[in-house]
Amino acid sequence: MVSGGGTNLQALIDGAADGRIEGARVVLALSSRDGVFALERARRAGIRTAVIGKEEYSDDEQRADAILAALREAETDLVVTAGYMSIIHKKVCRAYAGRMINIHPALLPKFGGIGYYGLRVHKAVLEAGESETGATVHYVDDEGVDSGEIILQRRVAVSEADTPETLGKRVLEEVEHSLIVEAANLVARKLEKGKNGKNQRTTVGNIME
Ligand code: GRF
């Protein structure tokens, strides 16, 4: 699920193609906005696209139902929200509990939750005088925003010369793209084992780096 440039989507497409996300393929790019480059990336890779946002469905519940229908139609096993700039309805969170992950460009639980998106996250990190930041991949739950169990985190040093823009770019390029692929692979492996009835108790939760 995307809303913008889709560099994380590209990382997932590449990771599925070269086997870093074992046995996976990207079946759908679902955007909350039309005209974004993420959709173009999907088209170039021959991936089905859908646009379901507030423009198409102003009612939250109807939008959630349309999202669920699109995910089911594409037979989605694992949902990755990658640069998705819209709050996900509880209905969708519940339907994909344990099968929906999000990447956030900070070291959660710091600098997460409502209002912490895009450059605002990096601005807040700099204003707080943090010496390091990074990215977090976590499960999406229905309790809050950026609140679910952490799967993987990776750190990036903040430099004195950083602006929100330079910091955001470094977090994205040095950390997010590899982290999202690793996390998607971990969760995909876990789901696959669950499907085969093996190792049901294996958990990937709280693997911190
Ligand atoms: C990333 O920092 C992601 O974590 C965020 O939006 C940014 C851009 O993502 N929430 P992308 O290039 O659209 O994948």
Side-chain angles (χ1 to χ4, degrees), residues 4-9 82-85 103-105 122 172 176:
T7 62
N8 280 303
L9 169 66
Y84 187 69
M85 297 294 188
I103 186 153
H104 184 77
H122 307 294
L172 190 61
E176 288 189 56

Side-chain angles (χ1 to χ4, degrees), residues 133-177:
T133 185
T136 304
V137 178
H138 62 93
Y139 284 106
V140 175
D141 67 12
D142 65 357
E143 283 164 34
V145 175
D146 301 326
S147 55
E149 187 188 351
I150 291 171
I151 300 163
L152 284 178
Q153 281 188 317
R154 192 158 295 147
R155 295 165 200 284
V156 165
V158 175
S159 95
E160 279 192 12
D162 268 323
T163 62
E165 289 79 7
T166 61
L167 191 55
K169 189 169 185 286
R170 264 203 344 278
V171 170
L172 190 61
E173 291 171 358
E174 290 178 16
V175 177
E176 288 189 56
H177 295 156

Side-chain angles (χ1 to χ4, degrees), residues 173-194:
E173 291 171 358
E174 290 178 16
V175 177
E176 288 189 56
H177 295 156
S178 58
L179 201 67
I180 201 163
V181 168
E182 286 171 42
N185 187 49
L186 278 173
V187 178
R189 300 275 56 73
K190 185 189 174 197
L191 293 175
E192 194 59 34
K193 280 179 187 159

Side-chain angles (χ1 to χ4, degrees), residues 94-112:
R94 285 181 194 137
Y96 283 88
R99 298 189 296 143
M100 181 179 253
I101 64 175
N102 175 52
I103 186 153
H104 184 77
L107 296 173
L108 291 175
K110 283 183 170 180
F111 308 105

Side-chain angles (χ1 to χ4, degrees), residues 20-96:
R20 280 174 297 146
I21 314 174
E22 220 186 304
R25 74 194 161 90
V26 183
V27 290
L28 172 71
L30 197 163
S31 178
S32 62
R33 282 194 298 222
D34 204 358
V36 294
F37 194 62
L39 290 168
E40 182 55 30
R41 291 180 191 273
R43 283 185 208 109
R44 286 181 190 175
I47 293 161
R48 186 200 297 214
T49 61
V51 179
I52 303 172
K54 291 188 179 164
E55 296 239 321
E56 291 74 21
Y57 295 87
S58 57
D59 179 79
D60 288 353
E61 185 143 3
Q62 282 177 9
R63 191 164 65 253
D65 288 339
I67 289 172
L68 280 174
L71 293 175
R72 284 180 183 142
E73 162 109 36
E75 299 184 11
T76 312
D77 296 312
L78 170 63
V79 181
V80 184
T81 58
Y84 187 69
M85 297 294 188
S86 186
I87 291 178
I88 298 164
H89 197 283
K90 283 184 189 302
K91 226 174 161 173
V92 180
C93 300
R94 285 181 194 137
Y96 283 88

